[in-house]
Amino acid sequence: EAIAEAIARGVCEWAGVPWVPVTSSEAGTAKLYRLKTGTFSNAAALAAAVQRVRDLFGWTVYEWAEGAYSAGGIWSPKYRLFTGTFTKEAAEAAAEQLRKATGWTVYVVEA
């Protein structure tokens, strides 16, 4: 268990994310959450948003494209970003920080 924790701490340090220990009573039952935000109209706007989040907070950011095919088979994507892996309380606090810093709508979603 100590070796696993040391590895996890090292990965967190390498990734630049805070270490959040899980107590033995929470092990296996702790739910984790991410922040979901954006509906960016194009890949360039998404890239700028990703860089902004990294610059402001240093969080790992995941990019996501979703959309639909319009008549004629043209893909109309909308871009979103997901970030973090937080406990519920930490996710709520991080969402508020992100809202204040960017003015974006931010959702807390289960990871």
Side-chain angles (χ1 to χ4, degrees):
E1 197 171 305
I3 293 170
E5 182 177 320
I7 292 168
R9 285 178 182 270
V11 169
C12 287
E13 183 178 329
W14 172 83
V17 298
W19 165 252
V20 179
V22 177
T23 64
S24 59
S25 64
E26 295 173 324
T29 61
K31 289 185 180 180
L32 297 175
Y33 298 85
R34 290 198 170 132
L35 307 183
K36 176 182 177 181
T37 190
T39 302
F40 303 99
S41 59
N42 58 58
L46 175 68
V50 167
Q51 192 59 51
R52 186 172 181 191
V53 170
R54 287 181 179 151
D55 289 346
L56 288 169
F57 301 103
W59 296 334
T60 300
V61 181
Y62 308 95
E63 303 169 18
W64 186 262
E66 57 189 33
Y69 287 100
S70 61
I74 298 172
W75 174 250
S76 299
K78 293 179 183 172
Y79 300 92
R80 296 187 179 276
L81 61 87
F82 289 83
T83 189
T85 305
F86 304 97
T87 62
K88 180 71 169 180
E89 296 78 21
E92 293 292 346
E96 186 59 27
Q97 287 179 319
L98 187 56
R99 283 184 200 107
K100 285 181 179 178
T102 63
W104 298 336
T105 300
V106 181
Y107 303 96
V108 175
V109 296
E110 200 168 316

